């Protein structure tokens, strides 16, 4: 028979579950982790970027190892991914893309991976202001509202409004609005005094439009009548209109304008208008005309000599 085998002593060899083997495995794991977490190095630094407004800005940083993760900052604040800001990593290369950059996006860009970092500056140049849509002349009825509107580019452009050479303030009479690229001036309850040249000014130029105000239609309730007097008696002419004229009415004699004073008296009582000519003489005979807006009335003056 084959002799029975004998059990050999352990002679110092321990099993895998021995405490000393656990320490060995832990040490090996730490060494492997340390080897994969070696401090990365910058192989390609960020470069400064200078672009015009609304263009795209791209930053690229390349590291020595693909395992390192990085973060992006602008002026000390961490950059987050948005619809216009993209962050991407392709192996050892890290990308930051800012789409449609605006002036406020200018600043210092920082890429950081563990204890290494790279910095660069982004400069976004402001576009010159352009007037895309100019103002147009306006004609409005007295008492109505008038709107002057134009369009500028870029949409954030600052503008000012002028009436003649005077800057227009925002108040009950005038309302000034900015919506996207449109700049609008509202003029409420316009009257003859609002007739003028209105201008919108920007750093890139200006555009103007003239306002004309038409008075409401005036009707004659009472026309002038012919007057026959003996020199030097007074000659009186009267008429009545439906509404007060927006401008002072005009009186004339044989085409010559008449003004209040001396032997000429012009009176207004409500909607009634009166002209009195004193110290009359035969050479004054002729046509007397009253004009209020587009409304006219005429009558004849006849001056006789006393026999």
């Amino acid at each position: 028979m084959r002799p029975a085998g004998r059990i050999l002593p352990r002679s110092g060899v321990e099993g895998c579950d021995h405490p000393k083997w656990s320490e060995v495995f832990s040490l090996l794991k730490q060494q492997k982790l340390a080897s994969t977490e070696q401090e990365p190095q910058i192989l390609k630094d960020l470069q400064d970027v200078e672009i015009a407004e609304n263009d795209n800005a791209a930053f690229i940083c390349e590291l020595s190892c693909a395992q390192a993760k990085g973060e992006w900052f602008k002026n000390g604040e961490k950059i987050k991914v948005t619809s216009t800001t993209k962050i991407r990593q392709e192996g050892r290369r890290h990308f930051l893309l800012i789409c449609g950059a605006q002036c406020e996006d200018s600043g210092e860009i920082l890429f950081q991976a563990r204890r290494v970092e790279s910095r660069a500056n982004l400069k976004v140049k402001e576009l010159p202001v352009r007037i895309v849509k100019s103002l147009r002349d306006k004609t409005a009825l007295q008492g109505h509202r008038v709107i002057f509107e134009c369009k500028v580019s870029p949409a954030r452009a600052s503008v000012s409004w002028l009436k003649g050479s005077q800057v227009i303030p925002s108040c009950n009479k005038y309302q000034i609005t900015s919506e996207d690229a449109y700049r609008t001036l509202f003029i409420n309850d316009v009257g003859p005094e609002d007739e003028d040249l209105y201008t919108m000014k920007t750093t890139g130029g200006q555009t103007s439009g003239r306002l004309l105000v038409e008075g409401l239609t005036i009707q004659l309730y009472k026309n002038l009548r012919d007057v026959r007097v003996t020199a030097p008696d007074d000659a009186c002419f009267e008429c009545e209109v439906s509404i007060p004229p927006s401008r002072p009415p005009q009186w004339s004699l044989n085409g010559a304008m008449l003004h209040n004073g001396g032997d000429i008296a012009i009176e207004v009582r409500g909607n009634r208008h009166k002209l009195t000519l004193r110290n009359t003489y035969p050479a004054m005979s002729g046509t007397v005309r009253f004009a209020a807006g587009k409304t006219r009335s005429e009558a004849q003056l006849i001056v006789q000599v006393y026999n």
Side-chain angles (χ1 to χ4, degrees):
M1 293 181 65
R2 187 175 182 180
R6 59 191 181 89
I7 301 174
L8 297 176
R10 292 189 177 184
S11 65
V13 178
E14 305 293 345
C16 290
D17 57 348
H18 193 276
K20 290 184 178 181
W21 283 108
S22 299
E23 294 175 5
V24 172
F25 291 147
S26 177
L27 181 60
L28 291 174
K29 185 177 181 181
Q30 292 176 7
Q31 290 176 348
K32 183 178 180 181
L33 183 62
S35 66
T36 60
E37 293 184 354
Q38 291 178 354
E39 201 65 40
Q41 301 297 318
I42 301 282
L43 298 183
K44 182 180 179 181
D45 270 308
L46 298 178
Q47 300 295 317
D48 291 342
V49 174
E50 183 173 332
I51 59 172
E53 197 172 15
N54 296 325
D55 286 346
N56 298 334
F59 292 90
I60 304 174
C61 185
E62 186 173 349
L63 301 178
S64 58
C65 58
Q67 292 80 11
K69 304 298 180 183
E71 293 180 315
W72 294 89
F73 299 84
K74 189 189 82 171
N75 295 331
E77 294 187 6
K78 186 176 180 180
I79 297 176
K80 298 180 180 180
V81 175
T82 66
S83 59
T84 58
T85 303
K86 312 296 182 182
I87 295 175
R88 189 173 78 250
Q89 179 181 355
E90 295 180 359
R92 297 181 302 179
R93 294 193 302 171
H94 296 257
F95 301 85
L96 169 66
L97 177 64
I98 302 175
C99 304
Q102 301 299 305
C103 291
E104 55 268 24
D105 292 319
S106 298
E108 183 186 63
I109 303 297
L110 166 66
F111 174 77
Q112 189 173 52
R114 298 180 194 164
R115 287 183 291 180
V116 296
E117 61 183 36
S118 181
R119 299 173 185 266
N121 289 310
L122 170 60
K123 183 178 180 181
V124 182
K125 296 182 293 182
E126 182 178 355
L127 289 175
V129 178
R130 295 184 300 111
I131 298 174
V132 180
K133 178 183 176 184
S134 300
L135 296 177
R136 294 184 178 181
D137 293 342
K138 298 284 186 177
T139 300
L141 288 175
Q142 181 180 353
H144 285 220
R145 190 188 205 193
V146 172
I147 301 175
F148 281 105
E149 184 179 75
C150 60
K151 186 178 181 181
V152 297
S153 177
R156 54 168 179 71
S158 298
V159 307
S160 60
W161 289 89
L162 294 89
K163 177 179 183 287
S165 60
Q166 301 297 315
V167 176
I168 298 175
S170 187
C171 56
N172 291 336
K173 178 69 175 181
Y174 304 104
Q175 296 173 0
I176 299 172
T177 64
S178 297
E179 185 173 348
D180 296 328
Y182 290 91
R183 303 294 182 268
T184 309
L185 170 66
F186 298 89
I187 308 175
N188 298 314
D189 191 22
V190 296
E193 68 280 3
D194 295 314
E195 287 193 339
D196 213 323
L197 186 68
Y198 290 83
T199 302
M200 188 235 36
K201 295 183 67 174
T202 74
T203 56
Q206 65 183 44
T207 176
S208 299
R210 184 169 294 278
L211 172 61
L212 298 176
V213 180
E214 292 184 347
L216 298 176
T217 303
I218 299 174
Q219 296 180 348
L220 278 168
Y221 287 168
K222 180 181 179 181
N223 279 292
L224 298 179
R225 293 182 178 181
D226 294 341
V227 174
R228 184 186 297 269
V229 296
T230 301
D233 292 347
D234 293 351
C236 297
F237 294 85
E238 293 186 32
C239 65
E240 184 177 353
V241 295
S242 57
I243 57 174
S246 58
R247 297 183 181 86
Q250 296 177 339
W251 290 90
S252 64
L253 174 60
N254 294 326
M257 300 301 300
L258 301 176
H259 302 283
N260 201 20
D263 290 335
I264 302 172
I266 297 175
E267 302 175 70
V268 179
R269 296 180 180 178
N271 293 339
R272 294 189 177 188
H273 298 263
K274 181 178 180 181
L275 168 68
T276 301
L277 301 174
R278 302 188 181 97
N279 296 319
T280 59
Y281 50 89
M284 294 176 61
S285 298
T287 303
V288 173
R289 171 181 287 183
F290 170 84
K294 297 180 180 180
T295 302
R296 305 282 190 274
S297 183
E298 294 181 354
Q300 295 300 310
L301 167 63
I302 302 172
V303 182
Q304 299 174 328
V305 178
Y306 179 76
N307 292 325

